[in-house]
Amino acid sequence: MWIQMDGAPPHFARNIRHFLDQNFNGRWIGRGSPIAWPPRSPDLTSSDFYLWGYAKNLVFEREPTTREDMIERIRMACRAIPRAVLLRTVEHFAKRIRLCIRANGDNFEQLFR
């Protein structure tokens, strides 16, 4: 398993990088990681532009009561994502790449309609 972190300051803290080095040795992407996160990289992945928001809505339909409840809600939300939703996010990926290329790597969200 790999983990991907952006360059946000909280993700760059020494204790966070140490934890990632210990638990994802050589398998994490981010600022200060074995695999660098490209500067100003557009978030093209399906999870970034859609899926996390979809799952978050499922998780927070009701307020979590405990840490274990939150973990279980996240697991259930991931299992509950319909196959059709996953396929649509993959289909949109190619379109997002083409728009990114057309915008020369600049912001292209306004082009995505």
Side-chain angles (χ1 to χ4, degrees), residues 39-100:
R40 294 177 300 283
S41 68
D43 294 329
L44 293 172
T45 63
S46 303
S47 57
D48 281 332
F49 73 83
Y50 178 74
L51 217 45
W52 293 142
Y54 185 90
K56 185 177 176 182
N57 288 338
L58 293 175
V59 169
F60 288 103
E61 283 179 343
R62 295 184 334 260
E63 189 170 331
T65 56
T66 64
R67 179 179 184 273
E68 291 74 23
D69 181 40
M70 176 60 99
I71 291 169
E72 185 57 26
R73 283 170 186 252
I74 292 168
R75 286 185 178 137
M76 296 296 289
C78 290
R79 287 185 199 120
I81 298 170
R83 185 175 192 270
V85 168
L86 295 173
L87 290 174
R88 275 196 309 275
T89 61
V90 171
E91 289 167 4
H92 282 91
F93 181 69
K95 183 176 181 181
R96 293 180 70 80
I97 297 234
R98 286 191 301 275
L99 289 171
C100 183

Side-chain angles (χ1 to χ4, degrees), residues 27-38:
R27 298 181 330 271
W28 67 281
I29 302 166
R31 200 168 113 204
S33 73
I35 312 273
W37 179 274

